[in-house]
Amino acid sequence: MGTSASKNSGSCHGGREGQLYVSLKMENFKIRRDLIPHVYGSVPITGSWDFSKALSMARESASMWELSFVVSPDHETLDFKFLLKPKYSNAPCVVEEGPSRLLTGGTLEEGDARSALFKIGGDEEVLEYKVFIKADIVSPFDLAASWRAYQENLQPSRVRGIPDVSINVAPNTGLEIGPASPLELDLEHYVVPAPSASAGVVYAANLTETPRSLPTAGIFSKNDALSGSSYGSSKAGVFSLDYSISCKDLDTTVLDPDSDHPKCPPAPGMVESKSVGTFSPLPKQDGQKGLFVDRGVGSPRLVKSASAGAFTFDLKLDSETKKGMPAAAGAVAAAAVADQMLGPKEDSRLAIVLVGLPARGKTFTAAKLTRYLRWLGHETKHFNVGKYRRLKLGTNQSADFFRGDNPEGLEARNEVAALAMEDMIAWMQEGGQVGIFDATNSTRKRRNMLMKMAEGKCKIIFLETICNDEHIIERNIRLKIQQSPDYAEEPDFQAGMLDFKERLANYEKAYEPVEEGSYIKMIDMVSGQGGQIQVNNISGYLPGRIVFFLVNTHLTPRPILLTRHGESRDNVRGRIGGDAVLSEAGELYSKKLANFVEKRLKSERTASIWTSTLQRTILTASPIVGFPKIQWRALEEINAGVCDGMTYEEIKKNMPEEYESRKKDKLRYRYPRGESYLDVIQRLEPVIIELERQRAPVVVISHQAVLRALYSYFADRPLKEIPHIEVPLHTIIEIQMGVIGVQEKRYKLMD
């Protein structure tokens, strides 16, 4: 085998400013997976000839290993050698034969452009590696933009920045990774405290807006949590996708999740993902590695029905791969601005008015919609009329208070509804965008009162929830008795049940379904097993997003497991971005994670594993067997642009203005040629929609910024907190979704 070394024209001494970039590669087609190539030597590399401090080279391909580093151009000589270090044992390292290699001024000394020879087991076996050494002077800006990609035009999926930089690398920890890393204890022994309040169960109505005009002391029961505006929000994305449905001028639209209509072009104003695919869940089998599918989320197809003016959305995903996806994040802002410029003034403020009988999931739906819209960045508040009633009238109303022929009760209920509506409109006039008005609103007279109050001030869309499943209704009634402040002082559960059912019968006698104005009807949607959504007179960007979200939500209990990839070599070196492989600790975590998933999901019939397309997440998921694996580009780490591959200290030194701008506002700061957290939120919207739609467990293996954004959605955290949310390595965050809301549990598998 031969050896090659090259140096671009231009010397370190020619007065050019920049850094000396050095790339070392070793190639051998006789693969020995038990021996890992390393480099050690003088100060610019490791500063020690101690074997234990040698720097590991990264596998670039099946036969090629690589290590790149940067040194000051005024450093005259680099003195180094290659060695092979056993991966799984404490056997001695094998140092290459011959003298040390000298790189002076970016040029190899004569005779140092040679193959690396290693004698294994004395003289029993000789391994020969072809060596490639390249050096060049690179400016800090070009360095950040990835010298290798610029110089050699490598694939961007492999090179996102300067990989495997060796400056200030932590010494080898000496971890030994055997073929298996079981969890020695029961899963509960790995549980650590969750920082979010979502770990507990709180009655959803108690988390709505606190009335402005009513006293708040001495009325609520011990279960109440008056927190004012409690719902947080935040969302992110790699390609800034808009998956909203622009239901432009739709009349009496019917959305049936079980319908199967011919394929039609997407609705106007919709942006489709670059790659759309479907997969069939694989049955769990021993040794099965699962199915890899690179996918986005498909948009519902709009189909003309037999009746004039009616359309149907087919919710099945398109199996074809879509291309030519717009990458601009401006689609979101452009649609919103167009709505405000072209529509009536009141259309810029939207009131979603809930309609439905008690125990139909109105408050749960309102809370979920509030959380989603706030996460997207829309100013949204949830106003619950029941909370107003309890504050003004107390919590001791019997079922007779809710009779339709009780004029005093009717007047009192209309009065608190008007108070809540006034508060919501006043908040909108102060800058609010979407108000969720949560009450039964079960008569045409009540709804007409609300429409008259909103005239010229905001656009009203009625959201009616209809449920005909007696089992679901019974379950909701029981939860109501257990959690509602109305029954907190009722010691007899059965007495509370009888009273509530009598209240429900009073509402049923007076109930009038929505047939007026703009409306969305959710019919038997809560189970996630079908049902319909009927849409009438709905148009515009934001209403379309709301419809699409509601189509994909349900109450089926299932866990969602969020975890970062195992520690990568760039994590060890403190470098952001890149596409590095796992460190030894990261490999150990991948095996522990596989063991955890097997134990945690052993009783589940099906589940899926989601990763980004970067190799550190794919490698973390590789030991997991028996479940389909899906790669999402949308789950890739925040794009650091020209800073990709740098440490924060290097950014501070070479790009001080960028460093300070990021420090002042991490949420909105956008890396040059890269992304901000708000960009990541927009990119992640299809991921959130798909997580809401799933009925089986999902394991999401992704990156810190992405998981901060996803976690903030489920934990209901404000946008401003997203860049500071703690998502540590080697920790699993379990989000339990179901009828009682979202609960959280954390497992720490490794320190």
Side-chain angles (χ1 to χ4, degrees):
M1 294 185 183
T3 303
S4 67
S6 68
K7 175 180 177 293
N8 283 6
S9 60
S11 168
C12 326
H13 310 289
R16 297 170 57 192
E17 295 183 357
Q19 304 240 8
L20 180 61
Y21 181 97
V22 182
S23 173
L24 308 178
K25 295 185 180 182
M26 293 175 60
E27 183 178 43
N28 187 309
F29 292 95
K30 184 178 180 180
I31 301 174
R32 286 286 302 267
R33 299 187 183 278
D34 59 324
L35 296 175
I36 308 299
H38 285 63
V39 179
Y40 74 136
S42 59
V43 171
I45 303 178
T46 62
S48 172
W49 291 95
D50 184 347
F51 293 164
S52 67
K53 296 182 179 180
L55 300 178
S56 174
M57 301 181 75
R59 185 186 291 278
E60 188 175 76
S61 65
S63 60
M64 183 76 76
W65 296 81
E66 194 261 359
L67 175 68
S68 303
F69 54 90
V70 180
V71 297
S72 173
D74 59 3
H75 191 91
E76 292 294 334
T77 302
L78 304 180
D79 189 2
F80 64 95
K81 295 188 78 171
F82 296 103
L83 63 85
L84 301 180
K85 183 178 290 188
K87 185 176 182 181
Y88 296 125
S89 70
N90 292 320
C93 298
V94 183
V95 182
E96 69 167 313
E97 298 295 310
S100 301
R101 300 173 187 266
L102 298 178
L103 187 70
T104 302
T107 304
L108 281 174
E109 294 292 318
E110 185 176 354
D112 285 341
R114 66 182 187 274
S115 295
L117 300 178
F118 300 89
K119 293 184 178 180
I120 311 298
D123 294 330
E124 296 180 5
E125 179 184 4
V126 177
L127 291 180
E128 182 179 3
Y129 283 78
K130 189 175 181 180
V131 174
F132 302 86
I133 302 177
K134 292 186 178 183
D136 194 10
I137 294 291
V138 184
S139 72
F141 186 86
D142 288 338
L143 184 66
S146 174
W147 179 82
R148 283 203 305 163
Y150 168 78
Q151 184 77 6
E152 303 179 17
N153 194 28
L154 298 178
Q155 293 296 323
S157 62
R158 182 70 184 95
V159 179
R160 286 166 53 93
I162 301 302
D164 306 317
V165 181
S166 62
I167 297 177
N168 297 328
V169 176
N172 193 315
T173 58
L175 284 175
E176 296 183 18
I177 306 175
S181 301
L183 298 176
E184 297 83 1
L185 304 173
D186 182 79
L187 296 186
E188 291 301 314
H189 288 276
Y190 295 92
V191 173
V192 294
S196 171
S198 62
V201 178
V202 180
Y203 185 54
N206 291 345
L207 298 175
T208 59
E209 287 307 302
T210 299
R212 302 181 176 195
S213 55
L214 295 176
T216 59
I219 295 178
F220 274 107
S221 71
K222 60 185 177 182
N223 295 325
D224 293 329
L226 296 174
S227 57
S229 177
S230 61
Y231 285 93
S233 68
S234 177
K235 183 164 186 203
V238 164
F239 294 107
S240 297
L241 303 182
D242 173 17
Y243 283 88
S244 65
I245 303 174
S246 182
C247 308
K248 194 68 176 177
D249 299 325
L250 299 185
D251 294 316
T252 319
T253 306
V254 178
L255 290 85
D256 185 354
D258 293 326
S259 64
D260 188 12
H261 295 274
K263 179 182 177 182
C264 288
M270 301 176 74
V271 180
E272 296 188 89
S273 68
K274 185 172 183 179
S275 59
V276 180
T278 59
F279 69 97
S280 300
L282 301 178
K284 187 173 181 180
Q285 299 174 2
D286 292 339
Q288 181 178 343
K289 294 185 178 180
L291 173 68
F292 285 90
V293 183
D294 185 6
R295 61 156 309 155
V297 174
S299 303
R301 299 188 288 257
L302 185 61
V303 181
K304 186 83 172 187
S305 71
S307 60
F311 293 81
T312 297
F313 286 90
D314 181 0
L315 300 185
K316 294 187 177 179
L317 294 175
D318 193 344
S319 61
E320 298 178 2
T321 300
K322 302 288 195 272
K323 296 184 178 180
M325 177 204 66
V332 174
V337 170
D339 281 353
Q340 293 180 11
M341 291 176 62
L342 301 178
K345 182 178 180 180
E346 64 268 19
D347 284 0
S348 63
R349 296 184 288 268
L350 183 62
I352 304 297
V353 177
L354 275 292
V355 177
L357 292 168
R360 263 56 175 185
K362 296 185 301 301
T363 297
F364 180 85
T365 301
K368 206 167 191 177
L369 183 58
T370 301
R371 177 161 52 93
Y372 169 70
L373 293 174
R374 284 188 167 179
W375 186 73
L376 288 176
H378 301 289
E379 288 293 329
T380 307
K381 285 191 176 183
H382 180 186
F383 296 81
N384 180 268
V385 175
K387 185 173 184 177
Y388 276 72
R389 170 179 54 79
R390 287 186 286 272
L391 281 170
K392 184 174 178 62
L393 306 173
T395 61
N396 57 351
Q397 292 87 24
S398 67
D400 287 341
F401 177 79
F402 300 93
R403 283 173 24 213
D405 58 356
N406 180 349
E408 292 81 7
L410 186 60
E411 181 180 357
R413 286 185 284 132
N414 284 334
E415 181 182 354
V416 293
L419 285 173
M421 191 69 175
E422 287 172 357
D423 278 359
M424 187 172 75
I425 292 173
W427 167 75
M428 287 182 173
Q429 291 175 336
E430 295 168 358
Q433 187 177 2
V434 183
I436 313 286
F437 189 83
D438 179 13
T440 56
N441 300 313
S442 55
T443 65
R444 195 170 291 111
K445 184 176 180 180
R446 161 73 73 83
R447 297 192 292 268
N448 287 338
M449 178 191 80
L450 299 177
M451 285 192 288
K452 186 174 181 179
M453 294 179 68
E455 189 173 348
K457 299 172 183 176
C458 64
K459 176 181 175 60
I460 282 186
I461 294 178
F462 293 112
L463 174 55
E464 184 176 14
T465 60
I466 300 172
C467 178
N468 299 305
D469 189 322
E470 293 297 331
H471 295 290
I472 292 177
I473 295 172
E474 182 72 16
R475 178 195 64 191
N476 290 347
I477 291 175
R478 290 182 172 275
L479 287 172
K480 195 89 168 178
I481 304 305
Q482 293 169 358
Q483 299 179 3
S484 173
D486 283 344
Y487 295 95
E489 308 303 328
E490 173 56 72
D492 188 339
F493 181 83
Q494 291 301 323
M497 287 281 291
L498 291 174
D499 180 82
F500 187 84
K501 288 183 177 181
E502 186 178 347
R503 179 196 300 192
L504 178 56
N506 290 331
Y507 273 109
E508 289 174 339
K509 294 174 185 177
Y511 190 79
E512 297 173 304
V514 174
E515 296 176 350
E516 67 276 13
S518 301
Y519 63 76
I520 304 166
K521 285 179 184 266
M522 298 178 65
I523 305 173
D524 292 326
M525 290 287 294
V526 294
S527 67
Q529 303 293 332
Q532 289 186 348
I533 288 190
Q534 296 179 0
V535 182
N536 181 68
N537 194 27
I538 296 294
S539 63
Y541 162 77
L542 195 53
R545 295 186 94 155
I546 291 170
V547 171
F548 191 43
F549 175 75
L550 294 173
V551 165
N552 289 283
T553 59
H554 56 86
L555 302 182
T556 305
R558 75 277 191 197
I560 295 173
L561 305 178
L562 307 177
T563 184
R564 289 173 65 184
H565 55 80
E567 180 190 68
S568 72
R569 292 179 179 175
D570 276 348
N571 288 143
V572 175
R573 297 160 184 161
R575 301 198 169 269
I576 62 176
D579 194 14
V581 297
L582 300 179
S583 68
E584 292 184 349
E587 292 179 5
L588 177 61
Y589 176 69
S590 71
K591 296 173 183 178
K592 287 183 175 291
L593 176 63
N595 191 257
F596 176 92
V597 170
E598 180 183 0
K599 287 185 176 182
R600 175 62 184 84
L601 302 182
K602 63 182 179 181
S603 61
E604 302 290 344
R605 291 182 298 174
T606 183
S608 55
I609 314 298
W610 297 3
T611 71
S612 73
T613 62
L614 298 177
Q615 61 177 339
R616 55 189 181 273
T617 65
I618 297 171
L619 291 172
T620 302
S622 61
I624 302 174
V625 297
F627 300 108
K629 297 173 184 176
I630 306 165
Q631 296 176 18
W632 288 70
R633 289 190 179 94
L635 288 174
E636 291 184 4
E637 180 61 295
I638 187 171
N639 186 351
V642 301
C643 299
D644 197 282
M646 301 175 71
T647 67
Y648 289 116
E649 284 300 316
E650 290 170 349
I651 296 173
K652 184 177 182 180
K653 178 181 178 181
N654 298 318
M655 309 171 73
E657 292 183 359
E658 293 297 329
Y659 182 85
E660 290 301 322
S661 295
R662 177 180 177 274
K663 186 177 179 181
K664 290 177 182 177
D665 189 353
K666 288 182 68 176
L667 176 67
R668 293 171 179 82
Y669 170 78
R670 178 179 286 121
Y671 287 99
R673 302 182 188 176
E675 289 182 307
S676 69
Y677 270 94
L678 292 179
D679 294 331
V680 175
I681 289 172
Q682 295 299 327
R683 151 168 51 112
L684 286 176
E685 183 178 7
V687 178
I688 288 296
I689 294 294
E690 190 64 16
L691 285 173
E692 287 285 0
R693 194 182 70 85
Q694 293 286 316
R695 289 194 293 270
V698 178
V699 180
V700 180
I701 304 173
S702 189
H703 310 268
Q704 181 168 249
V706 169
L707 292 178
R708 281 172 169 167
L710 291 177
Y711 174 81
S712 70
Y713 170 78
F714 294 112
D716 212 4
R717 300 282 285 272
L719 282 172
K720 63 182 180 181
E721 294 183 8
I722 291 178
H724 311 287
I725 291 174
E726 182 183 359
V727 184
L729 283 169
H730 305 158
T731 300
I732 299 164
I733 303 174
E734 178 177 326
I735 304 294
Q736 186 70 42
M737 300 179 65
V739 67
I740 60 174
V742 177
Q743 296 177 278
E744 174 190 349
K745 181 183 289 188
R746 293 197 176 202
Y747 303 86
K748 190 170 184 64
L749 302 190
M750 292 171 56
D751 290 331

